[in-house]
Amino acid sequence: MQHCLDAMIAELERRGPAGVRLGFRVIGDGDAGLLLPAERSSIRARDPTRLRQSGAARSVARRLLRQLGCEDAAIPRAASGAPVWPAGFVGSMAHDDALAVAVVAPVGRVRSVGIDVEPAMPLPEEVEDIAVTPRDRCGGADPRLASRLLFCAKEAVFKAVFPLDGEVLGFEDVCVDLQSGLASVPGRSGIGIIGAAGCRVLALACVEEPPA
Ligand SMILES: CC(C)(COP(=O)(O)OP(=O)(O)OC[C@H]1O[C@@H](n2cnc3c(N)ncnc32)[C@H](O)[C@@H]1OP(=O)(O)O)[C@@H](O)C(=O)NCCC(=O)NCCS
C-alpha cells in the first residue's frame, strides 16, 4: 500500500498548483496521542477511532507545515468542523479507518484547498443516485470507480469552498468535470479539481487567485 500511496500523492502534488504539499499516514493505535492539547480540547468527539483519525491527519499536516517553515503549529477544529490553520497557510485533511491524508499550502496564489480520500470500491447505487448528476464528468476514469471519484471530488470541493463562503453545500450544488479539471458551485466557478484512483480514491480541490 505504501508504494501505491506514495505514487498517488506524488501524482496529485505534481498536477496541483505550485507550493501545494500533500502527505499521508497509515493510522496507528496510538495516534490519538498525536493531538496537541489545543487540538484535543477543540474536538468534542470521544470515540477513540475518530480521535486516532484526527491525530494522524494532524500529524501529517504538521509535518507538511514544517516542510514549509511553520514549526509545531496546532490545528484545532472550529465549531463548524473546519480545521483552523496557522496564519499564512491553508490546508485540508481527510481520513478513513486506516489512512489519513492532508494537504497544505502557503497563502498566496492558492486561496483554499480541499482533500478527500475514499475506498477504491464502487459507490453504492443509492449513494450514486444522490451524489452524481448528469452534469458531472468523470474524465475517462475506470468506470467501476467513476462515481466514487466524483463523490470524492465533491467532498474535496466542499472542503475547499466552505472556508471561503461558509455555505454547507449539497452534492447537487457541486458540478465536477474531471476531464477539464474544473468544478463549480453556486456563485463560484473555476475551482481546480484533480482525482486519482489506485489503492484508494483521492481528490484535491484548489481555489486559486485569478492571474493578475
Ligand atoms: C466535511 C465533511 C465532508 C467531512 O466528511 P467525512 O467523510 O465525515 O470525513 P473526512 O475524513 O472526509 O474529513 C474529515 C475532515 O474534514 C474537515 N472538515 C470538517 N468540516 C469541514 C468544513 N466545514 N470545511 C472544511 N473542512 C472540514 C476536518 O479537517 C475533518 O477532520 P477532523 O475530523 O480530524 O477535524 C462532512 O463532515 C460534512 O460536513 N458534510 C456536509 C456537506 C457535504 O458533505 N455535502 C455533500 C458534498 S458537497
Side-chain angles (χ1 to χ4, degrees), residues 44-64:
R44 265 176 297 169
R46 287 174 189 278
D47 173 27
T49 305
R50 295 292 301 190
L51 291 174
R52 274 198 293 275
Q53 293 170 341
S54 295
R58 281 165 175 75
S59 114
V60 178
R62 282 199 299 272
R63 169 162 46 90
L64 299 172

Side-chain angles (χ1 to χ4, degrees), residues 50 54 58 77 80-83 93-95 116 154-155 158-159 162 168-171 174:
R50 295 292 301 190
S54 295
R58 281 165 175 75
R77 185 190 287 169
S80 65
M93 296 176 282
H95 25 67
D116 193 43
K154 289 187 181 203
E155 295 236 317
F158 169 71
K159 291 182 196 174
F162 181 85
V168 178
L169 301 168
F171 287 106
V174 184

